[in-house]
Amino acid sequence: MSDTVDMWFDPLCPWAWMTSRWLLEVEKVRDVEVRFHVMSLSVLNENAEDLPERYREMLERGWGPVRVATAAAQKHGEHVLRDLYTAIGTRVHPGGRDLDATVLGEALDEVGLEPDLLEAADSDVYDEPLRASHERAIELVGTEVGTPVVAVNGVAFFGPVVSPAPKGEAAGRLWDGCLLVAGTDGFFELKRTRTREPIFD
């Protein structure tokens, strides 16, 4: 029986995109099944002070995509997020396009979801389930992290932050290592300065 791996993402985040592509590689070489859930950098930082203006503006724009994704999940089940996230993220991250209404509309169309889901972008109708999904991730790892959050068999962690996303057995070995360190009692953090931007391939 496959292990269920839960990943929380915000479509804004290029590092979450990298992690998601890695996890889909892990599915090919380990007995796991990945399920996707929405979390929100806009929710996470809504009461933060002293944010750079450029980042604050990005977070303001970030509400629409997570609301649309949440609306899709509420109407059709969270299983739709795998393909919807891929359709959005492919356009935005390797595609280099702005995460705007045009991209969201194209993504909805690609995966066969109704175009009126786009109306959720400018509405707070789905904010309660959005916040609930976000909080499920935060409860697992704490408030000092962002997206992505990954959880499996009672072990949860932020990250990994990796570029490029490993392929094949290299993806599997990174998975094995993440489970080993994250599952160690009392283990909290490994980190080093990032020396490259996300490499999309």
Side-chain angles (χ1 to χ4, degrees):
M1 182 176 177
S2 298
D3 287 331
T4 298
V5 179
D6 293 290
M7 180 192 157
W8 282 262
F9 68 92
D10 185 321
L12 276 177
C13 181
W15 298 106
W17 175 254
M18 301 300 293
T19 301
S20 72
R21 300 309 95 179
W22 162 66
L23 285 175
L24 294 180
E25 284 290 313
V26 173
E27 277 191 333
K28 300 174 184 177
V29 294
R30 297 293 184 270
D31 193 14
V32 301
E33 180 181 357
V34 183
R35 298 187 307 194
F36 291 94
H37 313 276
V38 178
M39 68 182 296
S40 171
L41 294 172
S42 301
V43 171
L44 184 68
N45 291 284
E46 64 183 335
N47 296 316
E49 299 178 0
D50 301 322
L51 290 174
E53 188 59 30
R54 183 178 175 190
Y55 190 66
R56 190 176 298 281
E57 290 172 359
M58 181 192 73
L59 294 175
E60 281 299 313
R61 295 192 307 271
W63 284 100
V66 292
R67 283 169 165 165
V68 169
T70 301
Q74 288 293 299
K75 288 195 171 185
H76 299 285
E78 285 191 314
H79 66 277
V80 303
L81 291 175
R82 172 190 286 252
D83 290 343
L84 181 59
Y85 180 34
T86 293
I88 295 170
T90 299
R91 288 168 169 80
V92 172
H93 299 301
R97 295 175 62 188
D98 290 334
L99 184 46
D100 58 16
T102 299
V103 159
L104 292 172
E106 289 176 7
L108 290 169
D109 181 64
E110 178 183 322
V111 299
L113 296 174
E114 58 268 39
D116 61 6
L117 287 170
L118 193 58
E119 296 171 7
D122 299 314
S123 168
D124 62 3
V125 169
Y126 293 97
D127 281 9
E128 184 175 344
L130 166 60
R131 290 176 184 277
S133 181
H134 176 88
E135 285 303 316
R136 283 196 296 274
I138 295 302
E139 287 168 3
L140 292 169
V141 293
T143 59
E144 297 178 358
V145 302
T147 178
V149 170
V150 176
V152 59
N153 295 336
V155 174
F157 50 88
F158 163 74
V161 175
V162 61
S163 178
K167 303 290 192 298
E169 184 56 25
R173 288 195 302 270
L174 177 57
W175 174 250
D176 297 339
C178 286
L179 291 187
L180 178 64
V181 296
T184 299
D185 182 52
F187 174 82
F188 298 107
E189 187 171 1
L190 276 175
K191 190 168 185 178
R192 57 186 173 188
T193 300
R194 291 196 300 264
T195 59
R196 66 178 68 152
E197 294 301 308
I199 298 171
F200 306 121
D201 52 13

